[in-house]
Amino acid sequence: MRLNNFISSTGLCSRREADEMIKQKKVKVNGQIAELGYVVKPDDKVEVNGKVLEEKKDHVYIALNKPVGITCTTERHVEGNIIDFVNYPERIFPIGRLDKDSEGLILLTSDGSIVNEILREENNHEKEYIVMVNKKITSSFIKNMSRGVKIYNPVKNEYTITKSCKVFKINDRTFKIILSQGLNRQIRRMCNQLGYKVISLKRIRIMNISLKDLPVGKWRYLTEEELKSIGRK
């Protein structure tokens, strides 16, 4: 496990905050100043500001049906942040994101080591959404969404074509889409490129974890079966 993941897994802070502490030389491994990217071995002693850390064994895994208006950030100064909304007694953080204007399934955990496993694009983990748009859905729209849409990627300052995906029409203005990709606001950007505007967007599934009958604004712990599917049982 990389050092930033190890520090995060103890519940001390996020991976990003761990990286900052490593850069600031506040982290030692076996008495030596640690470097970014160090891989922690089972017998390593990790210290932050002189305090020895131990990996947390009993992690928390939560499924939340996020309402519109809640922001998926751990920054507590942001109004409507997801951490204050859930108000869990231990330190947790969201896995990935679901934009403020969208609702539905978002996972939260205290386990920093699982984040990359779920989010890594090459793992092809499915995410399923129900989307309503502002005008009648055509067969051409479904076909184009399915085979990939050319959208601008501001991070790389270039255009990219989204991966092919599964798209099914539900009614004149509603469709279901199953992605294995997670670009920022991807579905909204795909729709915009094809001349449609998203009216509502709800994520209903991540891998084999579904909302089921979980009410909007409520959360639950993952089941034993769900934990097994993500390698945590």
Side-chain angles (χ1 to χ4, degrees), residues 143-198:
K143 181 179 179 181
N144 288 328
M145 289 285 286
S146 299
R147 68 184 182 187
V149 179
K150 187 177 181 180
I151 59 175
Y152 179 68
N153 185 340
V155 175
K156 296 184 177 181
N157 192 28
E158 63 184 18
Y159 282 88
T160 185
I161 298 177
T162 60
K163 284 185 175 181
S164 59
C165 58
K166 302 171 186 175
V167 185
F168 308 93
K169 181 177 176 180
I170 296 176
N171 58 41
D172 279 352
R173 295 193 178 190
T174 309
F175 66 93
K176 176 168 68 176
I177 182 169
I178 302 172
L179 301 177
S180 60
Q181 193 175 19
L183 301 177
N184 187 33
R185 298 176 70 87
Q186 179 173 342
I187 297 172
R188 295 179 186 275
R189 292 160 66 197
M190 291 169 72
C191 288
N192 286 344
Q193 192 66 21
L194 297 176
Y196 286 74
K197 181 181 178 182
V198 171

Side-chain angles (χ1 to χ4, degrees), residues 12 27 32 74 85 88 94-95 103 123 125 167 179 197 213:
L12 180 67
V27 181
Q32 302 296 316
T74 57
F85 179 78
Y88 196 76
I95 302 176
E103 68 175 271
N123 288 340
H125 293 317
V167 185
L179 301 177
K197 181 181 178 182
D213 55 355

Side-chain angles (χ1 to χ4, degrees), residues 23-176:
K23 290 176 184 176
Q24 294 166 14
K25 303 187 182 303
K26 295 179 179 180
V27 181
K28 290 183 179 181
V29 177
N30 302 325
Q32 302 296 316
I33 298 294
E35 299 290 337
L36 285 170
Y38 180 84
V39 177
V40 178
K41 297 181 284 295
D43 57 347
D44 282 340
K45 183 175 78 169
V46 179
E47 300 173 66
V48 175
N49 291 323
K51 179 183 177 182
V52 177
L53 302 184
E54 294 184 8
E55 186 177 2
K56 189 174 180 179
K57 300 302 181 183
D58 298 322
H59 285 295
V60 175
Y61 305 91
I62 285 172
L64 167 70
N65 189 347
K66 185 190 87 68
V68 171
I70 298 300
T71 303
C72 293
T73 180
T74 57
E75 301 292 333
R76 305 296 284 271
H77 66 272
V78 176
E79 186 176 355
N81 72 80
I82 196 169
I83 304 304
D84 285 342
F85 179 78
V86 175
N87 195 29
Y88 196 76
E90 298 178 31
R91 181 187 172 275
I92 57 173
F93 49 87
I95 302 176
R97 58 184 177 262
L98 188 61
D99 67 69
K100 184 177 180 179
D101 299 326
S102 301
E103 68 175 271
L105 181 62
I106 181 82
L107 305 180
L108 298 101
T109 185
S110 59
D111 183 0
S113 66
I114 199 175
V115 176
N116 283 340
E117 296 174 35
I118 292 180
L119 298 183
R120 191 176 291 122
E121 191 171 309
E122 54 265 32
N123 288 340
N124 293 314
H125 293 317
E126 289 188 342
K127 297 178 285 291
E128 185 173 343
Y129 304 79
I130 302 295
V131 186
M132 179 183 292
V133 290
N134 64 328
K135 59 184 181 181
K136 189 173 182 180
I137 294 169
T138 63
S139 57
S140 175
F141 172 81
I142 296 293
K143 181 179 179 181
N144 288 328
M145 289 285 286
S146 299
R147 68 184 182 187
V149 179
K150 187 177 181 180
I151 59 175
Y152 179 68
N153 185 340
V155 175
K156 296 184 177 181
N157 192 28
E158 63 184 18
Y159 282 88
T160 185
I161 298 177
T162 60
K163 284 185 175 181
S164 59
C165 58
K166 302 171 186 175
V167 185
F168 308 93
K169 181 177 176 180
I170 296 176
N171 58 41
D172 279 352
R173 295 193 178 190
T174 309
F175 66 93
K176 176 168 68 176

